[in-house]
Amino acid sequence: MTEGPDQTSRARLFHNAISAFIHERREAKLKGSEANQATADKYAYATWLADAARRVTQIQAVTHVLKAIHPDARGSNLHRVPQSLPSHSEIGTHVLGNDYVDDVVGNAAALDVYKFLKLEVEGRRLLDWLQDDDSDLLSALDSDPKVAHEWATSFKGLIRSSGKPTSHGLAKQVYWSVSGEPADDTGFHLLQPLFPSSLVHAVHTDINKARFGENNKAARLAKRNNQPHIGVYRDYRNLVVRKLGGTKPQNISQLNSERGGVNYLLASMPPQWQQGQLKHFLFISSVLERLRRFEDVNELILALCALLESAPKPTSATRLRRERIEQAFAQALAAFGLINREQLEPGWTRHPDCRLPLCEQLWLDPLRAELPWREDHLEEDQAFAAAIESGDWPSQVAHRFGNWLNAILQQRGLPVGDAEHAHWARQAMIDADYLLPRPSASLNDEKDIAHG
């Protein structure tokens, strides 16, 4: 078919896009081989479209794929628009909303038809325009309205129901108790889990952006060159790759083929907190060097910098924002202390490579004061216990925290000084003092008797 004189400029836009796609397919088919007129004729505009409209029945757009459960299963696949699914707090296909990709199953030899329907014009797929019965696209398909509508109907059949859903002997099935009585054989529903291909593809895309994206590359380069880096580094630890389809991943589905058969499995295990490892606190002059990497402390710092750099008006809304950040800082500092006190064995600050100031040792290792005193370090252990009893360490830790935070803000060019330092310290000291587990007086009395 050639462009008709009655076509609108928009119809010609569709026509040109379709012609370019067919021409590209033709050139790829004939490349490296002797010119074959019979083969070339198959790629005439109308001939190829008619053949594609016939072959589209061999494939189906889906969101849930059965063959990913077992490659020889012959039951139903499903197409469910995420917005039509019930909303749950758990992660599922429903969370994708409008941002999802259809998968395609069926005869792999007909997948070129799906690539054709994915062709974008004016930011939308041809399939989307067909579903809207776009008159310009219909005009571009064929000058005969009857032929154009027949082809359009066939192409729109890519998204279709397979009739009554059917299962298969190779599909996994689960008996789910709905009556709450395990002995009641009639109180079960038989469920068949299906592989959520659209969701899996979205997760795969997100993980790959984290692993191989420019932001993470820049962060890794900065780390390798021992340079500072402002930004978020994302990592998925202990990933497992499950390959589907072997050497022919397209036999499972189109999206599986695009992933090369790769399907990520996330680690299902509790997190292993690294902050509590003793080696992280040795050979350093302050644990505050580690605080910035704790939970969301770095995000709090960036939020505080952004607030102060914006020079906001002294309103109640500004004060509320600042107070929320300050409270979060105090809670993070308290949590940092609490977690490390619980995870590290009492007495770890006795390690010869511990170079922390005494106030930080008292903060993170207070139960050391309850350990038996060492004969060869008797004065040191007695001084540690006396320092715990004096109760001066919270203000000293808070003072160091204020200095630490002020130094970070000053690096950003913010004019902070003694007043801000005192404010940060006052906020930090409250929770630090509250969460301190104090040693018992009776035990110290026994030590005084034993060594007095």
Side-chain angles (χ1 to χ4, degrees):
M1 171 185 171
T2 59
E3 296 181 24
D6 296 333
Q7 282 188 336
T8 65
S9 60
R10 188 167 175 274
R12 287 193 292 273
L13 180 65
F14 280 115
H15 185 280
N16 292 339
I18 295 171
S19 293
F21 177 85
I22 296 174
H23 179 75
E24 184 180 343
R25 299 289 301 175
R26 176 183 181 277
E27 292 302 305
K29 187 69 173 179
L30 298 179
K31 184 178 181 180
S33 63
E34 297 182 3
N36 185 315
Q37 189 60 43
T39 301
D41 289 344
K42 293 180 180 178
Y43 290 89
Y45 189 94
T47 304
W48 190 90
L49 284 177
D51 182 61
R54 176 187 59 83
R55 292 186 295 125
V56 74
T57 59
Q58 302 173 19
I59 56 177
Q60 178 188 3
V62 298
T63 55
H64 295 73
V65 178
L66 178 59
K67 278 186 174 290
I69 303 296
H70 195 288
D72 292 328
R74 296 291 184 269
S76 298
N77 301 282
L78 296 180
H79 186 281
R80 293 292 182 268
V81 177
Q83 304 94 307
S84 69
L85 297 173
S87 180
H88 301 287
S89 57
E90 296 81 8
I91 293 178
T93 303
H94 61 278
V95 304
L96 299 179
N98 291 318
D99 189 19
Y100 77 101
V101 181
D102 289 324
D103 202 349
V104 173
V105 296
N107 184 2
L111 288 176
D112 61 316
V113 182
Y114 176 59
K115 293 178 181 178
F116 162 69
L117 294 173
K118 281 175 57 181
L119 190 66
E120 289 195 1
V121 175
E122 294 186 340
R124 297 184 71 199
R125 303 178 303 173
L126 292 184
L127 179 61
D128 299 325
W129 291 121
L130 287 168
Q131 289 174 326
D132 291 344
D133 293 321
D134 187 273
S135 58
D136 288 325
L137 176 53
L138 290 174
S139 175
L141 289 179
D142 197 272
S143 57
D144 184 341
K146 181 179 179 181
V147 173
H149 278 283
E150 287 178 355
W151 289 350
T153 301
S154 296
F155 289 137
K156 287 190 288 186
L158 178 71
I159 300 177
R160 62 184 183 275
S161 172
S162 300
K164 184 178 180 180
T166 59
S167 185
H168 190 267
L170 296 177
K172 291 182 173 63
Q173 297 178 339
V174 178
Y175 281 99
W176 188 267
S177 176
V178 292
S179 67
E181 296 295 333
D184 179 13
D185 290 344
T186 64
F188 288 84
H189 280 175
L190 184 59
L191 306 180
Q192 177 183 305
L194 286 178
F195 187 77
S197 188
S198 295
L199 176 62
V200 168
H201 196 72
V203 171
H204 182 275
T205 301
D206 189 68
I207 291 176
N208 273 359
K209 284 182 180 178
R211 298 181 69 193
F212 310 116
E214 294 301 321
N215 291 338
N216 267 19
K217 286 182 180 178
R220 285 193 292 265
L221 180 62
K223 179 178 175 62
R224 185 163 59 246
N225 296 334
N226 196 27
Q227 295 176 341
H229 177 76
I230 297 178
V232 177
Y233 179 80
R234 289 197 297 152
D235 190 18
Y236 292 86
R237 302 289 179 87
N238 302 313
L239 278 177
V240 173
V241 172
R242 179 189 179 205
K243 296 277 285 187
L244 296 178
T247 59
K248 296 182 178 180
Q250 69 273 13
N251 287 346
I252 301 298
S253 74
Q254 170 63 18
L255 291 183
N256 186 67
S257 179
E258 291 180 14
R259 297 191 298 271
V262 171
N263 293 268
Y264 290 127
L265 298 180
L266 300 174
S268 180
M269 61 183 70
Q272 300 295 319
W273 298 106
Q274 299 298 315
Q275 291 92 342
Q277 294 186 1
L278 174 58
K279 65 180 182 180
H280 285 193
F281 291 154
L282 301 180
F283 302 103
I284 60 175
S285 59
S286 174
V287 295
L288 297 177
E289 298 176 25
R290 303 289 181 257
L291 177 63
R292 189 162 186 169
R293 298 200 295 269
F294 178 74
E295 294 186 348
D296 59 351
V297 170
N298 191 58
E299 286 73 16
L300 291 174
I301 292 173
L302 296 177
L304 180 60
C305 289
L307 176 62
L308 298 179
E309 288 170 348
S310 67
K313 295 181 180 179
T315 63
S316 59
T318 299
R319 183 169 59 255
L320 180 61
R321 286 177 61 193
R322 192 196 68 239
E323 288 176 352
R324 286 176 177 173
I325 295 174
E326 293 167 354
Q327 291 169 1
F329 265 127
Q331 292 168 1
L333 189 67
F336 179 83
L338 181 62
I339 287 175
N340 287 294
R341 284 195 296 267
E342 290 180 346
Q343 292 191 347
L344 292 173
E345 289 292 328
W348 63 269
T349 52
R350 290 177 173 178
H351 194 286
D353 293 322
C354 178
R355 301 172 185 175
L356 302 179
L358 180 59
C359 63
E360 292 186 8
Q361 295 184 35
L362 296 167
W363 174 36
L364 298 180
D365 190 20
L367 294 182
R368 167 183 164 181
E370 297 189 357
L371 297 177
W373 292 339
R374 300 164 294 174
E375 292 294 338
D376 53 342
H377 293 82
L378 186 57
E379 292 185 4
E380 178 186 337
D381 290 344
Q382 287 177 335
F384 190 94
I388 281 282
E389 289 299 322
S390 71
D392 292 335
W393 68 266
S395 61
Q396 295 169 7
V397 171
H399 175 81
R400 294 179 66 84
F401 173 78
N403 283 339
W404 172 79
L405 185 54
N406 257 14
I408 293 175
L409 298 177
Q410 288 166 356
Q411 289 176 354
R412 294 285 292 257
L414 291 165
V416 292
D418 293 342
E420 289 77 14
H421 168 272
H423 184 74
W424 314 136
R426 184 165 58 252
Q427 294 296 318
M429 185 171 63
I430 299 171
D431 284 81
D433 189 39
Y434 175 75
L435 290 173
L436 171 67
R438 304 304 297 269
S440 63
S442 60
L443 185 56
N444 284 335
D445 291 342
E446 293 176 5
K447 290 179 181 176
D448 291 339
I449 295 172
H451 297 281

